[in-house]
Amino acid sequence: MPSASESREREAGRRARRRWTVPTITIVCILLVWQAVVAFGIVPNFLLPSPTQVIAALVADAALLLGHAATTLIEAFWGLVIGVAVGFAVAVLMDRFETVRLALDPLVTVSQTIPTVAIAPLLVLWFGYGLAPKIVLVVISTFFPVTVSLVSGFESVDPDLLDLMRTMNASRWQIFWQVKLPSALGEFFSGLRISATYAIVGAVIAEWLGGFSGLGVYMTRVRKSFSYDRMFAVILIISALSLLLMKAVDALQRLCMPWIRAERK
């Protein structure tokens, strides 16, 4: 008869396998249904390319797509880095000064009610067709989730811990680094994960309205030629890049919060 530890290990192994098998089977079923819908003419092929056509377009334009993807990834990366820095600074100021919070809270909220598609032409007009307008748009798209999640994380700190630090004559700086920031890291990485997905989409939207390279530029060109198989290939790459950034955030979270792994074990 297996021991309790062996049973737990087997159960953990089954859960790990399910985490991979269930999504894989779901994706395979969706692709099969998609292929069947096109093959049997339920949807005309000129409107919806089949998965095999999308893969063929992806392979045929692989070198060109890699070049455009590199440009988009650079824009998204630097926009995300600057957006996180701005969001972090704004959140710290809003947590530290009540007046700053009252002043910035409505502005931060209003900044997300303006459609990025409406801002993008102005940024292209002001900054030209280079990297600058794309990075600025990514910054606008990504700083909000980080700011909101960090402010929420700072508010959720256990007040008893704060009182304990104050009774020990800890400075504001010590309270921030030793209590507030570690307590808010979970919320911060949740916001960062959302910002990572916004970064790629924001860069592509900015590229739609002008540029020399990037997945958005490529998408505009193939759309004008009605090459929908290449359009779907670009969508596939955009999704892959977003997932790649999210996995990078997960890896960074495991590095910055090693106690989570210890608690799970």
Side-chain angles (χ1 to χ4, degrees):
M1 185 175 180
S3 63
S5 60
E6 291 176 347
S7 299
R8 284 195 297 270
E9 289 177 0
R10 290 178 181 176
E11 182 63 25
R14 283 196 291 268
R15 285 199 298 268
R17 286 192 295 271
R18 287 187 64 191
R19 280 196 295 267
W20 285 100
T21 55
V22 172
T24 302
I25 292 173
T26 303
I27 292 173
V28 169
C29 290
I30 291 173
L31 291 176
L32 289 175
V33 171
W34 179 4
Q35 182 71 34
V37 164
V38 177
F40 290 109
I42 299 175
V43 178
N45 187 237
F46 66 89
L47 291 178
L48 180 67
S50 67
T52 53
Q53 289 174 317
V54 174
I55 297 300
L58 190 62
V59 172
D61 283 3
L64 185 60
L65 285 169
L66 281 175
H68 286 294
T71 302
T72 301
L73 196 56
I74 290 171
E75 296 164 354
F77 174 77
W78 286 113
L80 181 61
V81 169
I82 298 172
V84 170
V86 171
F88 186 89
V90 171
V92 171
L93 290 174
M94 291 175 68
D95 177 70
R96 175 65 181 83
F97 303 103
E98 183 68 21
T99 304
V100 174
R101 177 166 187 168
L102 292 174
L104 293 184
D105 189 51
L107 295 178
V108 170
T109 304
V110 168
S111 69
Q112 298 305 299
T113 62
I114 303 172
T116 54
V117 178
I119 301 175
L122 295 175
L123 295 176
V124 172
L125 180 65
W126 294 337
F127 299 105
Y129 291 98
L131 292 178
K134 285 80 170 178
I135 292 175
V136 171
L137 188 64
V138 174
V139 171
I140 294 172
S141 303
T142 57
F143 90 97
F144 179 76
V146 173
T147 302
V148 172
S149 60
L150 264 178
V151 170
S152 177
F154 291 149
E155 289 179 344
S156 65
V157 178
D158 188 351
D160 293 334
L161 282 176
L162 298 176
D163 292 338
L164 176 62
M165 293 294 288
R166 293 189 186 102
T167 57
M168 297 173 66
N169 293 324
S171 64
R172 291 184 180 273
W173 190 253
Q174 289 173 323
I175 292 174
F176 176 77
W177 281 108
Q178 297 178 19
V179 177
K180 282 195 169 186
L181 187 58
S183 300
L185 278 180
E187 302 250 3
F188 167 72
F189 281 106
S190 297
L192 183 58
R193 205 171 285 109
I194 297 172
S195 294
T197 60
Y198 286 177
I200 298 294
V201 176
V204 171
I205 290 174
E207 291 166 351
W208 281 350
L209 299 171
F212 305 105
S213 64
L215 292 176
V217 175
Y218 177 88
M219 185 179 288
T220 303
R221 292 172 181 170
V222 298
R223 178 177 56 83
K224 291 179 179 178
S225 62
F226 301 100
S227 301
Y228 294 121
D229 52 348
R230 289 177 169 82
M231 283 277 291
F232 275 87
V234 176
I235 294 171
L236 212 71
I237 293 176
I238 292 171
S239 300
L241 290 178
S242 298
L243 290 173
L244 181 65
L245 282 180
M246 289 181 67
K247 290 297 181 182
V249 171
D250 291 338
L252 183 62
Q253 182 177 12
R254 288 193 296 270
L255 183 65
C256 296
M257 302 176 67
W259 57 87
I260 290 183
R261 285 181 295 173
E263 289 174 357
R264 288 176 180 173
K265 289 181 180 179

